[in-house]
Structures are given as C-alpha cells and as structure tokens.
Amino acid sequence: MLEVLDAMLQAHDLATHAALEPATKALLKRSAEWLGWSACSSHRVLRVARSVVDLADADLIATAYVAEAIQLRRALHGIMAGRAATCATVRRG
C-alpha cells in the first residue's frame, strides 16, 4: 500500500485514508457541533488523529485517538488565541 502523508491529504481522500467507525464518527461530529468547527477543522482533526495512530503504531483510528486529536486541536486553538491577544496588546501598548 502506498503511504500517504497526513498533512498532504485532501478532504476527499480522508474517507479512504481516515475511515472511522460509526461511534468514532459520532464523537467527531458531536465535538465539531459543540465547538462550532467548520468542515476544515474536522478534517484537520482527522489528519492529527492519523498522526496519533502512526505514533501509537496502531492500525485503526480508534475513538481514543480521535478524542486525543480533539484535545490537541482545542489546546492549540487556546494557545494561538492567547498568542494573538498578547500580540494585539503589545502592538497597542
């Protein structure tokens, strides 16, 4: 099988290379709705979940890996929002 880099996956490739079980798909959908994510944000989480699977040397994108990717995405978003606020304060001051 040809290896595909997670970062290089297009949205239409995710169905093939990041297939999810129904419970895992439901978790991602509920989280995206709750957090107000766009489809692009959900796709980013799937790419990160694939990376987590690779690091765990697993074969399937289990619910736990998607949950970890969601947490990583939320943490990164919080860090970036804090950085933007800090930069805006520095520019004004």
Side-chain angles (χ1 to χ4, degrees):
M1 183 171 119
L2 180 64
E3 293 294 323
V4 178
L5 295 175
D6 301 331
M8 303 303 287
L9 283 174
Q10 299 297 317
H12 61 273
D13 295 326
L14 287 171
T16 303
H17 297 287
L20 302 176
E21 294 183 359
T24 307
K25 191 180 289 189
L27 170 68
L28 181 58
K29 182 179 179 187
R30 281 193 315 271
S31 297
E33 289 171 355
W34 177 259
L35 297 167
W37 287 346
S38 65
C40 288
S41 293
S42 295
H43 292 157
R44 283 188 207 110
V45 168
L46 280 177
R47 287 184 191 96
V48 171
R50 273 184 40 107
S51 296
V52 172
V53 168
D54 291 343
L55 291 170
D57 198 28
D59 296 325
L60 300 173
I61 303 176
T63 303
Y65 299 130
V66 171
E68 185 172 350
I70 290 167
Q71 290 299 316
L72 290 168
R73 168 86 170 113
R74 291 184 69 205
L76 179 61
H77 182 70
I79 290 168
M80 297 307 288
R83 183 178 292 168
T86 302
C87 290
T89 303
V90 170
R91 284 188 209 128
R92 286 186 210 146

